[in-house]
Structure formats: structure tokens, C-alpha cells
């Protein structure tokens, strides 16, 4: 995207002399477009559950409440859509927070990676249905990493929750650790439904969800879990890679520098 400004314009005999300055404003324009897209996508996503909630409440008030079956069914829908709304607002807040985080606002401390991961796994165990999916924490107990524990906790939570949700009964999710001289890696792997090759780059886009991820039923979600992961990993100076095969499972490999430094210098 080019912006043009005429700074000099004069007629000399039969000729015009003109000086035009051209500015490449692609970057600013793209950022602005992305923000506008985000606001319009977010509003759209919020409107869907709100419309359902108010629609079903109104139908109940207009008489459906006298039919006990309809009363139960519609209340269940209202409850489900309200939960979706709560999750969506939490994720939207979370992504705008991670996006505006400057490296100075991170709280870098030394943490035990295995303990940090275990805390998130325990919270997930108490907060969601595990559908008989087993979560195995293979991170050695003695590993210490320099990181922002809150942000890394959220990354682990989102990846493990996805490994459970996009899985089958008796599937498993595992967390493991690897290191080289300068870097460490956290690997979150599952043997769930997998992601088709052509979908893999798209799952990191905001609000993107793979539509046919379970035959007959779509796992509920916001499409913001992986974008939050990508944004937070970047804040922590790291990078994320996805390896997946449809029907076999997915592996998310997160790589961080051992000496913490902000992504701008990485
Ligand atoms: P959400 O799970 O709320 O839809 P995410 O951004 O976390 O949003 O994930 C985007 C999409 O990527 C999901 O809808 C799902 O289709 C796919 N996906 C994410 N993680 C996995 C996984 N571990 N296995 C299979 N598919 C996954």
C-alpha cells in the first residue's frame, strides 16, 4: 500500500516539474486492517450466543415454559450458550492482553517445568470432562526454566485441553521435555483426531475452527486457543511448530531460548 504526497509542482516553459514522495505504509495498513477484522469477527462470534439466549428466553416467555419438555430443553440451550459466551469473552480478553504485553511487563522467574505443567493438568482434571483421555506428564522433575509462569501456564492449559477435546475415549496426551545447549523444548503430543495438512497453518488464525473435526459432532470452542498460544510463545521469545496427521494425532513443539530474552532480539 503506497501513500503519495506532491511536494513540488511547477510549470517551466512547456513542461511540468513535479516531485512526488511515495511512502510504503503496508505495515501500518495491515495492522489496522487486522484490528478491524478482529473487532468485526469478535462481534459476530459474540452475537451468535447472545441471539440464541435472547431468542430462547423470549420463546419461553411467550408460552413455551408451560410445556415441561420444552422448558428443560430450552433452559439447557440457554445454559450452554451462556457458558460459550463466558469462554468467548475470557478468550477475547486473554488475546488482547497477550497482544499488548510488552517484554518489560513479563514476570520472568525460574520455575520447575514439571510442577508448572502438573498444576495446569490438575486444574483441567477438576474443571472439564476428560472423556477417558489420559494425560501423562513426562517432564523430568529437576528441569528448571526461566519463563513467565502465568503465560506458560496458559499455553500448557490450552494445548493439553485441545489434546483432550480433539481425542477419542482411551486416547492420551503426553508432555515431554528436550534440550540443546541454548534452547529447551516442551512437546505436547496426542494420539487424537489429528489435523489435515491443508488446515495446519489455518488453526493458528483467530476464530478459525476445523469444521469436520468429529464425525457428527463439533466440539464446542472459540477458535482462539491456538492464536493465544502462538501470541504468548512469541512474547516469551520462542516459537511453535505443529506436526500432525489426520486420524493419527498432533504434536506441538515449543522451542524457547534458555537465557530468556524478548522476541525482538531473538
Ligand atoms: P477451539 O479449540 O476453541 O476451536 P483453537 O484455536 O484451540 O480453538 O483450535 C483451532 C482448531 O484447531 C480447533 O477447532 C480444532 O479443529 C483444531 N485443533 C486444535 N488442537 C487440536 C488437536 N490437538 N487435535 C486436533 N485438532 C486440533
Amino acid at each position: 500500500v503506497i501513500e503519495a504526497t506532491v511536494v513540488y509542482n511547477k510549470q517551466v516553459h512547456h513542461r511540468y516539474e513535479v516531485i512526488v514522495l511515495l511512502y510504503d505504509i503496508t505495515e501500518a495498513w495491515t495492522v489496522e486492517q487486522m484490528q478491524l477484522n478482529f473487532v468485526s469477527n469478535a462481534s459476530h462470534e459474540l452475537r451468535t450466543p447472545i441471539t440464541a439466549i435472547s431468542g430462547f428466553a423470549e420463546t419461553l416467555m411467550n408460552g413455551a415454559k408451560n410445556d415441561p419438555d420444552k422448558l428443560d430443553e430450552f433452559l439447557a440451550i440457554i445454559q450452554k450458550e451462556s457458558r460459550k459466551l463466558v469462554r468467548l469473552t475470557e478468550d477475547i480478553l486473554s488475546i488482547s492482553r497477550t497482544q499488548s504485553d510488552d517484554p518489560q511487563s513479563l514476570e520472568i522467574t525460574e520455575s520447575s517445568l514439571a510442577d508448572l505443567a502438573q498444576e495446569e493438568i490438575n486444574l483441567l482434571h477438576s474443571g472439564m470432562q476428560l472423556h477417558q483421555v489420559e494425560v501423562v506428564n513426562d517432564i523430568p522433575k529437576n528441569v528448571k526454566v526461566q519463563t513467565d509462569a502465568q503465560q506458560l501456564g496458559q499455553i500448557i492449559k490450552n494445548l493439553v485441553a485441545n489434546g483432550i477435546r480433539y481425542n477419542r475415549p482411551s486416547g492420551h496426551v503426553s508432555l515431554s521435555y528436550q534440550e540443546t545447549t541454548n534452547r529447551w523444548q516442551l512437546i505436547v503430543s496426542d494420539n487424537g483426531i489429528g489435523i489435515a495438512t491443508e488446515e495446519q497453518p489455518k488453526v493458528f488464525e483467530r476464530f478459525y475452527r476445523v469444521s469436520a473435526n468429529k464425525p457428527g459432532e463439533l466440539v464446542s470452542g472459540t477458535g482462539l486457543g491456538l492464536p493465544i498460544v502462538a501470541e504468548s510463545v512469541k512474547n516469551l521469545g520462542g516459537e511453535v511448530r505443529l506436526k500432525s496427521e489426520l486420524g493419527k494425532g498432533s504434536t506441538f513443539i515449543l522451542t524457547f531460548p534458555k537465557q530468556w530474552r524478548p522476541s525482538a532480539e531473538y
Side-chain angles (χ1 to χ4, degrees):
V1 181
I2 305 289
E3 191 178 83
T5 316
V6 178
V7 289
Y8 177 80
N9 181 2
K10 195 175 168 196
Q11 187 175 7
V12 185
H13 304 300
H14 298 294
R15 290 197 336 224
Y16 279 105
E17 288 181 351
V18 182
I19 298 178
V20 184
L21 286 184
L22 300 176
Y23 299 93
D24 179 358
I25 56 161
T26 317
E27 201 176 315
W29 187 81
T30 321
V31 169
E32 199 175 322
Q33 278 306 310
M34 274 175 62
Q35 279 164 352
L36 286 175
N37 279 349
F38 177 66
V39 171
S40 98
N41 284 340
S43 321
H44 174 80
E45 297 292 328
L46 289 168
R47 191 173 296 149
T48 317
I50 293 172
T51 308
I53 292 167
S54 66
F56 281 102
E58 203 172 307
T59 315
L60 283 175
M61 289 190 307
N62 288 343
K65 65 173 181 290
N66 301 322
D67 176 339
D69 288 343
K70 284 219 172 84
L71 182 64
D72 284 348
E73 187 192 340
F74 291 1
L75 283 176
I77 296 175
I78 290 174
Q79 187 186 43
K80 186 168 151 241
E81 295 298 317
S82 312
R83 287 191 179 141
K84 195 165 154 190
L85 202 54
V86 171
R87 238 186 2 245
L88 204 54
T89 28
E90 278 171 2
D91 279 358
I92 289 174
L93 279 176
S94 188
I95 199 155
S96 43
R97 220 179 291 131
T98 39
Q99 202 187 19
S100 60
D101 261 357
D102 69 289
Q104 267 74 37
S105 73
L106 292 172
E107 255 187 66
I108 305 297
T109 53
E110 199 168 84
S111 315
S112 152
L113 187 60
D115 289 351
L116 211 155
Q118 197 55 46
E119 268 171 43
E120 296 302 329
I121 296 168
N122 294 347
L123 283 173
L124 283 173
H125 273 100
S126 61
M128 76 185 278
Q129 275 195 316
L130 298 183
H131 304 292
Q132 298 157 34
V133 175
E134 193 192 357
V135 183
V136 187
N137 182 354
D138 280 331
I139 303 166
K141 274 278 183 199
N142 59 347
V143 171
K144 297 263 196 289
V145 292
Q146 277 183 37
T147 192
D148 180 306
Q150 200 263 328
Q151 286 220 14
L152 188 64
Q154 167 132 50
I155 293 168
I156 294 173
K157 177 179 130 207
N158 289 7
L159 291 179
V160 175
N162 280 354
I164 297 169
R165 290 155 67 229
Y166 301 106
N167 215 318
R168 317 179 186 84
S170 80
H172 66 250
V173 182
S174 72
L175 291 100
S176 56
Y177 172 84
Q178 274 182 6
E179 63 178 0
T180 60
T181 327
N182 302 320
R183 289 153 195 251
W184 61 272
Q185 286 186 326
L186 172 67
I187 300 140
V188 182
S189 196
D190 67 67
N191 63 347
I193 62 172
I195 304 167
T197 315
E198 65 275 17
E199 302 279 3
Q200 289 173 20
K202 297 189 206 152
V203 293
F204 290 98
E205 288 170 16
R206 292 168 178 194
F207 299 110
Y208 188 82
R209 309 199 65 223
V210 181
S211 52
N213 50 25
K214 250 191 185 178
E217 67 173 294
L218 181 65
V219 178
S220 75
T222 62
L224 288 174
L226 290 180
I228 291 172
V229 167
E231 203 77 54
S232 303
V233 168
K234 201 169 124 222
N235 278 347
L236 296 175
E239 54 193 50
V240 54
R241 259 188 312 138
L242 164 62
K243 285 189 190 164
S244 184
E245 201 179 326
L246 198 60
K248 295 244 166 91
S250 310
T251 301
F252 291 84
I253 303 159
L254 315 181
T255 308
F256 297 98
K258 274 190 183 162
Q259 269 315 105
W260 186 85
R261 61 207 130 122
S263 53
E265 297 169 24
Y266 189 48

